[in-house]
Amino acid sequence: MTEYPTSQEGSQPAAGASGGRTDELGHGKAPVPAAEAVRTHAQVQGADQPASGLPRPRETAAANSGARDTEAARAAAAAAQAAPTAQTSQAAQGNAPEAIARREGDRLRFVGAATRRIARGIDLDEIVLGLCRATVPTFSDAILVYLRDPLPVGDERPVGPVVLRLRRTDRLRPIDEFTAAAAGAGATTSDGELDFSQLALVGPQGDLPAAELCEIRPGGALAEVLRGVRPVFGSSAAARAALPELLGADHPVPRGQRAILAPLRGRRRVIGAAVFLRTPERPAFETNDLLVAAQLATHTALGIDKAVLYGREAYIADELQRTMLPDSLPQPTGVRLASRYLPAAETARVGGDWYDAIPLPGSRVALVVGDVMGHSMTSAAIMGQLRTTAQTLAQLDLPPAEVLHHLDEQAQRLGSDRMATCLYAVYDPVSHRITIANAGHPPPVLLHLGGRAEVLRVPPGAPIGVGGVDFEAVELDAPAGATLVLYTDGLVESRLRDVWTGIEQLRERLATTAQLTGLDHPPPLEALCDDILDMLGPGDRDDDIALLAARFDGIAPSDVAYWFLDPEETAPGRARRFARRALARWGLEELQDSLELLVSEVVTNAVRYAERPVTLRLLRTDVLRCEVGDDSPQLPRQRRARDTDEGGRGLFLVNRMAKRWGATRLSSGKVVWFELALPGAHDRR
């Protein structure tokens, strides 16, 4: 026997004795086999006696025609039931076991099909929708699903009162068949029983059928029913007291066994409740229906638990990935940056790809892109450790090859199977050069001004974590107007193409895009990144993608002034004179007083501890940047000087007057720098 389709899985079988029919939404009244699917042999007394809940067969023709008064009719009916013919009795004795087995199999198949439909859901809404679609109209004519708000996750203990929120409702008939009055007041049958087919579960104005929120009162009737875990009939004493508390005091409650209140219990606690409703047009619920409701509620609750935990893990993964990638890129002098990150299409939003841009002393910048093998929380955690290590090593101003060597050692400490690829580059805007070291990563592509794109020849190296290998760095030209594109292999490699084919496609795409903007103007950086990602077609997203693009503006030699100062008492005076000359050459005399004061303070502090010559460099870009270097590793610290102190106010003045300032420790000492805004200038980025 096949599984019975629900209201959304296809047309219902032709109606039998129950007079099934289908409305305009395709929701059919439950046919006889579906009703039998929730019965067991406990209600079967014989083949000639109708199963519980089915329309009773008419009395015999003799009883209907001969019995004119009530007593005669009752006697005839009793005789017809008490003395069946021998043939009927034999048939009943022979067919009863087969009917029992058939109905038991139907019930099990219905429960199996319903639980499979519920289990298909991945998120919370899909699971709740699966419960509604699996049960309406096969098991019930309407359903209301309440869930805790907010839903508890794992072992966390909710704070405050427990509140249930009406999450979803579903019914058999469309609401526009009924007037607003009928929807608000309901309708009753001839015997006074409530007919839920006349109640719209969502009213014409969008009003809900019951209270949207319900606070569970400790010790109340609803709390007792939910604590009991087992479903109960709406006609039971416990449910008669609990349903008004759940649905609202003014909401009608059906009489008889036409409602089932089923707690939804997860692994640790009750997380909600489901109310199954039947109309008087079909059989009332039976004892075995409680078992069916219990199984449906259990599978739904466990699915909701799973979905909530999955949602929390996805949220944690998102937060982990977000915190391990830079919120925004820095704005170093002489270079513009843009980036993109895309998770793999078939994995969670967490992986081992990363990128970074780290300002270095001397207006340089380190460009990093890496890829930890795998797509998991572990990969993301390893990525975070390697990224932090790379940032620390960069601040020490170590050469690129040495940075990769230390990253390799760190990966080996994390475990023998912790492998990653990484490309580390340092760009100097003054010399217009870039130094690159590679650890098993795809080579970068350089797009020249004029439209020529080339794959840079960088020694590939071994991945980080292999151990016992040397890394080699190369120094290349980085002309002004050129764009360096760093990426992870997810951009160029997929099941549809190998990595070298993808690299060639990337090179061609960059060249084509540059030709559209002309030979003298590089393409806009953000638009270029978007265009690079557009090369990905359907099925190309097998891996995470990290993309970092750097547009080299450089600093012209005419905008750089550089001096060496011996560490002696005359050094601050000489520094002030050099600064005045540079400002006069650049036409920035308005900054003379501020620059002389700050240069004097910083150089004085450097000369106090230096043993070798102090360096002074001025850079004119969109700001005026001053850098003072010495061989002392001790970084300056701003402090509040007492009224009687003769010094200690230099950094206080720098902090008050400079646009930005900072200090960086080098392997050979340190650099203290500050920036002053140009008169009337705007940020050229």
Side-chain angles (χ1 to χ4, degrees):
M1 180 173 291
T2 58
E3 298 172 2
Y4 294 109
T6 61
S7 58
Q8 299 297 316
E9 292 180 334
S11 60
Q12 300 291 334
S18 62
R21 47 190 165 84
T22 304
D23 62 25
E24 59 185 276
L25 291 184
H27 291 198
K29 298 302 291 183
V32 172
E36 291 179 349
V38 293
R39 294 190 197 89
T40 66
H41 62 282
Q43 287 75 35
V44 179
Q45 302 299 327
D48 62 325
Q49 181 178 343
S52 175
L54 288 179
R56 296 186 59 84
R58 294 185 178 182
E59 308 296 351
T60 62
N64 286 331
S65 62
R68 297 298 182 182
D69 55 33
T70 304
E71 295 299 331
R74 290 175 180 172
Q81 295 181 1
T85 63
Q87 182 178 1
T88 304
S89 178
Q90 293 174 0
Q93 294 175 5
N95 295 335
E98 181 180 350
I100 292 171
R102 183 176 65 253
R103 281 187 286 271
E104 182 69 14
D106 290 348
R107 183 183 72 84
L108 294 176
R109 273 187 286 271
F110 164 71
V111 173
T115 53
R116 283 194 297 272
R117 178 155 195 170
I118 294 169
R120 292 188 202 131
I122 297 177
D123 58 26
L124 182 62
D125 291 331
E126 288 181 352
I127 292 172
V128 174
L129 177 61
L131 171 65
C132 296
R133 291 292 184 259
T135 55
V136 178
T138 308
F139 180 67
S140 63
D141 292 322
I143 186 173
L144 299 92
V145 181
Y146 282 82
L147 296 180
R148 288 178 69 158
D149 187 30
L151 278 166
V153 179
D155 295 328
E156 71 179 27
R157 297 184 177 275
V159 179
V162 177
V163 176
L164 298 184
R165 179 183 292 275
L166 184 59
R167 185 79 184 197
R168 186 175 182 86
T169 63
D170 202 355
R171 65 168 296 108
L172 181 60
R173 296 185 177 185
I175 63 174
D176 54 10
E177 291 184 6
F178 315 110
T179 63
T188 58
T189 60
S190 58
D191 60 356
E193 185 171 319
L194 183 66
D195 183 358
F196 263 82
S197 68
Q198 301 300 312
L199 290 176
L201 290 189
V202 178
Q205 284 76 40
D207 54 314
L208 295 171
E212 182 182 4
L213 293 176
C214 167
E215 180 177 332
I216 300 179
R217 299 191 301 270
L222 181 59
E224 292 299 321
V225 171
L226 297 182
R227 186 178 294 113
V229 177
R230 298 179 182 276
V232 294
F233 286 124
S235 59
S236 65
R240 284 199 304 270
L243 282 174
E245 185 178 339
L246 177 65
L247 306 179
D250 298 333
H251 192 276
V253 178
R255 293 184 297 178
Q257 295 183 176
R258 300 199 173 277
I260 291 179
L261 173 57
L264 300 177
R265 183 175 182 84
R267 291 175 177 83
R268 297 184 179 274
R269 58 179 67 88
V270 173
I271 60 175
V275 181
F276 302 94
L277 303 169
R278 279 190 182 177
T279 69
E281 300 177 8
R282 68 186 296 178
F285 289 113
E286 301 171 355
T287 303
N288 235 45
D289 292 331
L290 295 178
L291 300 178
V292 175
Q295 294 184 59
L296 297 176
T298 298
H299 282 82
T300 301
L302 293 178
I304 291 173
D305 249 3
K306 176 187 67 178
V308 172
L309 289 173
Y310 176 81
R312 175 58 63 88
E313 289 179 358
Y315 170 78
I316 294 174
D318 282 347
E319 289 297 300
L320 179 63
Q321 189 75 60
R322 184 185 62 80
T323 55
M324 288 186 177
L325 293 175
D327 290 333
S328 59
L329 293 173
Q331 298 180 357
T333 302
V335 61
R336 286 172 285 173
L337 303 172
S339 64
R340 296 291 187 272
Y341 175 82
L342 293 177
E346 298 179 358
T347 62
R349 293 183 57 88
V350 62
D353 291 22
W354 91 91
Y355 61 88
D356 217 340
I358 309 168
L360 300 177
S363 298
R364 296 169 300 145
V365 59
L367 307 174
V368 191
V369 63
D371 183 4
V372 178
M373 297 182 182
H375 308 92
S376 64
M377 297 284 283
T378 301
S379 300
I382 295 172
M383 176 268 286
Q385 295 182 66
L386 293 179
R387 177 174 179 250
T388 301
T389 302
Q391 290 177 330
T392 303
L393 296 172
Q395 295 301 326
L396 297 176
D397 201 24
L398 298 178
E402 191 171 346
V403 170
L404 293 184
H405 174 73
H406 287 292
L407 285 177
D408 180 60
E409 292 181 338
Q410 173 68 6
Q412 293 180 68
R413 285 191 290 267
L414 295 175
S416 59
D417 59 342
R418 309 309 188 191
M419 298 180 63
T421 64
C422 182
L423 191 143
Y424 188 94
V426 175
Y427 170 66
D428 188 340
V430 176
S431 65
H432 296 267
R433 304 280 288 177
I434 186 168
T435 305
I436 306 175
N438 191 8
H441 204 78
V445 179
L446 184 65
L447 177 63
H448 292 267
L449 184 64
R452 183 173 66 90
E454 65 170 325
V455 179
L456 296 182
R457 296 183 177 181
V458 180
I464 290 172
V466 173
V469 296
D470 293 329
F471 299 97
E472 182 181 353
V474 294
E475 187 174 351
L476 304 170
D477 287 330
T483 304
L484 184 69
V485 178
L486 309 178
Y487 54 91
T488 55
D489 59 359
L491 178 67
V492 294
E493 184 179 23
S494 72
R495 67 175 71 95
L496 303 178
R497 62 189 176 191
D498 62 77
V499 61
W500 289 108
T501 300
I503 292 175
E504 179 60 22
Q505 291 178 357
L506 172 61
R507 188 195 66 78
E508 294 176 354
R509 185 65 174 247
L510 289 172
T512 301
T513 302
Q515 292 172 3
L516 297 177
T517 59
L519 301 179
D520 299 330
H521 302 283
L525 202 56
E526 295 291 342
L528 180 64
C529 289
D530 293 335
D531 191 66
I532 291 174
L533 295 182
D534 286 342
M535 67 180 282
L536 297 171
D540 283 4
R541 292 278 302 283
D542 298 330
D543 199 357
D544 306 325
I545 297 174
L547 174 66
L548 179 63
R551 173 71 45 76
F552 300 141
D553 294 333
I555 301 176
S558 59
D559 291 328
V560 180
Y562 197 93
W563 303 275
F564 288 95
L565 304 172
D566 291 329
E568 54 190 25
E569 294 182 358
T570 60
R574 295 178 59 200
R576 290 192 294 270
R577 290 195 300 272
F578 293 149
R580 284 196 300 270
R581 294 176 187 172
L583 292 180
R585 186 170 73 249
W586 292 333
L588 298 176
E589 289 85 354
E590 295 180 40
L591 297 178
Q592 179 174 318
D593 292 342
S594 298
L595 181 61
E596 283 191 24
L597 176 59
L598 298 185
V599 165
S600 180
E601 293 291 342
V602 175
V603 171
T604 298
N605 190 68
V607 169
R608 183 177 303 169
Y609 302 100
E611 296 181 359
R612 291 194 292 269
V614 173
T615 60
L616 171 63
R617 186 166 76 166
L618 297 180
L619 303 172
R620 183 187 65 167
T621 57
D622 50 348
V623 296
L624 180 64
R625 182 180 176 98
C626 176
E627 299 174 349
V628 177
D630 62 73
D631 61 347
S632 173
Q634 183 178 355
L635 296 179
R637 293 288 183 267
Q638 183 180 350
R639 64 183 179 87
R640 183 176 296 276
R642 296 188 298 268
D643 294 339
T644 57
D645 290 344
E646 296 182 1
R649 297 176 178 83
L651 289 183
F652 177 78
L653 292 174
V654 174
N655 186 62
R656 291 295 300 270
M657 299 179 63
K659 180 181 179 180
R660 291 194 310 159
W661 76 278
T664 304
R665 183 180 285 113
L666 307 177
S667 57
S668 59
K670 68 175 181 293
V671 170
V672 180
W673 57 270
F674 63 85
E675 294 176 350
L676 296 175
L678 299 181
H682 297 282
D683 194 344
R684 292 186 293 191
R685 295 182 213 280

